[in-house]
Amino acid sequence: MEVFVTPRAERNFDSIVKYISSKWGENTAKEFIHKVDEIFKILKTQPYIGMVETSDIRGFQLSPQTRILYRIRGNKMIILSFFDVRKNPKKKFK
């Protein structure tokens, strides 16, 4: 399965990494990046492991604060967003 990351998800990810780096240091940010890479490997082999958010969007809890939202289209997984679960849930898909 191929993984595609939307520009929005890239911006979310970059923002999270910058925040982690400024708050807890470069090593913690690198650990987060490594964790995301490992989760992508799991999702590529088991794409339906995430919980259904809406009819065609799934979510996977990456950390207590961060959820990955994605869609499966054929043999493609499209990463839509890295969502901070502490934010307003209505903003999840906007």
Side-chain angles (χ1 to χ4, degrees):
M1 176 159 293
E2 294 180 80
V3 176
F4 294 92
V5 181
T6 64
R8 175 185 178 184
E10 285 183 23
R11 287 190 305 273
N12 297 151
F13 180 78
D14 290 344
S15 176
I16 291 168
V17 170
K18 285 179 187 175
Y19 177 76
I20 292 171
S21 182
S22 69
K23 191 81 169 168
W24 293 287
E26 193 68 29
N27 285 340
T28 305
K30 287 179 183 179
E31 288 173 16
F32 177 78
I33 293 167
H34 178 71
K35 186 173 187 175
V36 170
D37 287 341
E38 293 300 311
I39 295 300
F40 278 7
K41 288 177 188 175
I42 292 168
L43 290 175
K44 285 172 79 169
T45 60
Q46 300 176 35
Y48 294 98
I49 196 171
M51 294 178 58
V52 175
E53 299 277 339
T54 66
S55 61
D56 68 339
I57 296 176
R58 293 183 168 270
F60 187 87
Q61 199 72 29
L62 177 61
S63 72
Q65 302 83 13
T66 309
R67 189 163 184 79
I68 297 173
L69 300 175
Y70 64 97
R71 177 178 285 140
I72 299 168
R73 292 283 190 246
N75 195 33
K76 296 177 185 174
M77 177 182 300
I78 304 163
I79 307 299
L80 303 170
S81 179
F82 288 83
F83 180 73
D84 184 335
V85 297
R86 298 168 293 181
K87 292 182 179 178
N88 182 347
K90 292 179 182 178
K91 294 182 179 182
K92 199 182 289 189
F93 304 110
K94 293 182 181 177

